[in-house]
Amino acid sequence: MLDAVDAVLVRELQRDGRATFQALADRVGLSRTAVRARVQSLLETGVVRVVGIVHSAVVGAEAVGHVSITVAGPAREVAAAVAERPAVGFTALTAGPHDLVAQVRTRDDEALAAEVDHIRSVPGVEATEVFRTVTTVRDAHAVVRSLDRITLDDIDWRLLQELQRDGRAPYTRLADIIGLSQAATRARVVRLMRSGVIQVTGLADPLALGAAELGGFGLVVSGAVRRVAEAVAEQEGVRYLATGFGRYDIVGQAEASSRAELVEVLDAVRGIPGATVRESWHHLDVVKESYAVELPDKPPNGSPVV
């Protein structure tokens, strides 16, 4: 567990991954030097990773599928094979109705179907069920945000590539890479963030923040799905929620400090009018969690993004 100061620093980095050391120092009441040392330690020990998350519309990766997988034989080997696919952003071994779950993000439904077919072909996979996401209502690690109209050039694209690798890359290094001044580089990065093209945020180790238990749930709904989804998303402990089509009307993920608290989160969800928990599962081990996407060398046709 983190001490109080480190916990605040992690939360601030989740809010703004490029917050200056001085801004962080003002927030926690320590010197800039002390905060720099603490943040460096948090990064080096893997307590938090600061990454740039590119808006899905920018790269045309808006088809999202939640795949529940039944396995014959060792599930970890299958999970590792599934996680190798670049389109798979999340994979976890689970206890419940299925042996593991994965989230797949592709450009369209045809590509999504191809990815699911690849998962079905992995040795050991017996069966798959797919929930096709329509709307992401809540995502604690990638703010559901609007995207302004903006034209991206080759330099912007290179910045997106670098920020995906290291969200806190210094402006001096970014400027050297793209061949502009620090001031011009800073202006471009700020423009990309303010327009919604990229969000720079801290991805924290849940254990470090006291969230020792992770679980998922699938809901069926009576009445208006969006209304129920918004009510579920407001519940403490719900970190991801999406509406869509398939076995459920809504898929969600919850985190808690203990199993008893995780049960409380699910009970709170059950208490929402119109929501019925059809299935729930416990995440035994998160094999992969990544928000990076494969960016082409250049922006698509250099065209404006809306």
Side-chain angles (χ1 to χ4, degrees):
M1 285 288 291
L2 303 177
D3 65 22
V5 171
D6 281 348
V8 171
L9 290 174
V10 169
R11 295 298 187 191
E12 289 298 309
L13 289 172
Q14 288 178 314
R15 186 181 62 82
D16 178 6
R18 292 195 66 84
T20 66
F21 289 119
Q22 187 58 59
L24 294 172
D26 292 343
R27 177 68 178 83
V28 299
L30 295 178
S31 70
R32 184 175 180 275
T33 301
V35 165
R36 178 191 288 271
R38 280 180 175 259
V39 170
Q40 194 62 34
S41 176
L42 291 170
L43 293 171
E44 289 176 352
T45 56
V47 170
V48 66
R49 294 180 293 124
V50 179
V51 299
I53 302 174
V54 180
H55 198 292
S56 59
V58 173
V59 291
E62 298 185 272
V64 180
H66 174 92
V67 187
S68 302
I69 304 168
T70 302
V71 169
R76 186 173 294 279
E77 294 179 9
V78 175
V82 170
E84 287 179 358
R85 298 292 293 179
V88 174
F90 180 87
T91 312
L93 297 164
T94 59
H98 304 280
D99 300 304
L100 60 108
V101 295
Q103 187 184 75
V104 182
R105 185 180 294 275
T106 62
R107 65 182 181 276
D108 54 32
D109 284 333
E110 183 177 354
L112 179 60
E115 285 293 333
V116 174
D117 279 347
H118 178 85
I119 290 174
R120 292 191 182 104
S121 71
V122 171
V125 171
E126 281 202 332
T128 61
E129 289 187 4
V130 182
F131 173 87
R132 171 60 165 90
T133 294
V134 173
T135 303
T136 301
V137 181
R138 174 172 171 74
D139 191 336
H141 294 318
V143 174
V144 179
R145 61 194 188 278
S146 60
L147 179 64
D148 296 339
R149 185 175 181 84
I150 180 174
T151 300
L152 303 177
D153 60 20
D154 292 354
I155 292 176
D156 292 324
W157 209 249
R158 187 65 190 277
L159 284 172
L160 294 180
Q161 292 172 328
E162 293 301 319
L163 290 170
Q164 272 202 146
R165 298 187 187 100
D166 179 5
R168 286 190 68 81
Y171 287 115
T172 51
R173 179 156 67 83
L174 294 175
D176 287 342
I177 291 171
I178 65 175
L180 296 180
S181 68
Q182 287 188 48
T185 301
R186 181 191 297 271
R188 284 199 176 236
V189 171
V190 170
R191 171 176 169 266
L192 290 171
M193 293 192 296
R194 287 182 175 172
S195 64
V197 169
I198 192 168
Q199 175 201 355
V200 181
T201 186
L203 301 181
D205 178 356
L207 291 175
L209 295 177
E213 303 292 339
L214 297 174
F217 54 87
L219 308 179
V220 292
V221 171
S222 59
V225 171
R226 181 72 190 200
R227 176 184 56 78
V228 173
E230 289 174 350
V232 173
E234 292 176 357
Q235 300 304 305
E236 186 73 24
V238 174
R239 76 173 194 173
Y240 175 84
L241 200 81
T243 66
F245 302 107
R247 184 177 179 82
Y248 323 111
D249 298 311
I250 297 172
V251 160
Q253 191 177 104
E255 62 183 14
S257 60
S258 65
R259 290 185 183 181
E261 187 177 303
L262 190 61
V263 170
E264 291 178 4
V265 175
L266 291 174
D267 279 349
V269 171
R270 290 186 180 96
I272 293 173
T276 300
V277 177
R278 168 167 282 179
E279 291 179 344
S280 61
W281 50 92
H282 188 211
H283 290 180
L284 302 174
D285 186 21
V286 175
V287 177
K288 178 181 181 181
E289 184 172 20
S290 172
Y291 289 89
V293 294
E294 284 192 306
L295 295 176
D297 292 336
K298 295 180 179 292
N301 302 322
S303 57
V305 175
V306 180

